[in-house]
Amino acid sequence: MSREESRTNNIPSLAITGSTGHLGGIVARTLADLGQEQTLVVRDASRAPQLAGARVREAGYRDGAASRAALDGAQTLFMVSASESVDRVDEHRSFIDAAAAAGVSHIVYTSFFGAHPEAVFTLARDHFATEQHIRDSGMDFTFLRNNFYMDFFALLAGEDGVIRGPAGKGRVSAVSRADLADSALAVLRDPAAHRGAVYELTGREALGLDDVARIITEKTGREVTFHDETLPEAYASRAGYGAPDWQVDAWVSTYTAMAAGEQERITGDIRALTGHDPETLGEFLDRA
């Protein structure tokens, strides 16, 4: 379906996934507040937010036929990466293929900082494979490579107040989901201006987990400390969750990626996109 046909049939040119989640939800609600029409592609229509100017279409990433129907008429697709799973790359590929078949011309994909086939963080390899499939599809793209969520790091301590992981002296330029949403919105309001761009979205400070523990203690009054686990300790402390091996590897490599220095670089991409600096952990905790 052409852009003109889409307008004639009152089909929004923008499709959004992830609107039932945190990041995608912020993006979808803000777009609605700005008067942007959009198609919300969700797995369960009953959970979709009720937004002005939004139509809801039900499709899972694995369901190629439903995804193609849901995306028919869309020109730009904001694709939030699927939940972690052993076959997430295959799930992504199915959805990307459906988008291409539906006539989508531009995918804005939430990738991961340091996406690379040999990344220490195992899930960064999945994101690289997804990026490659989007490139190979022939569609235009914009990749938003998000570093670890600051929101997640604020919750790392266990009930005993200890953050555990084999991160060593490694540092991470974690970033808040609010800043990531602002960056995505800047791209989605003028997708053509960001065609072919790869943005590496980080916070404005790189912290070790001992710093994270100290700042949480100062801001919340809860005593938090960091214990630098050995690799055997890390696997042993997570064995009781009964998670599959791929998931435990992902959990542990969250920390070993920091130890390897893969997550510490700071970029100015959020400021370039939004006009404001990303918030610090202390600022985030003051707001939370």
Side-chain angles (χ1 to χ4, degrees), residues 202-217:
T202 75
R204 75 174 193 260
E205 59 184 357
L207 302 174
L209 292 186
D210 51 349
D211 298 315
V212 171
R214 173 181 53 79
I215 293 168
I216 292 173
T217 299

Side-chain angles (χ1 to χ4, degrees), residues 101-152:
V104 170
S105 59
H106 188 158
I107 292 185
V108 179
Y109 172 63
T110 61
S111 187
F112 187 77
F113 184 78
H116 190 275
E118 297 178 3
V120 173
F121 180 48
T122 57
L123 300 184
R125 305 171 197 169
D126 292 354
H127 286 286
F128 180 82
T130 299
E131 287 186 2
Q132 286 301 112
H133 199 70
I134 293 172
R135 290 179 188 271
D136 292 343
S137 75
M139 289 181 284
D140 291 326
F141 63 85
T142 306
F143 297 145
L144 305 177
R145 290 181 171 177
N146 307 333
N147 208 339
F148 287 121
Y149 290 162
M150 184 180 291
D151 316 45
F152 165 71

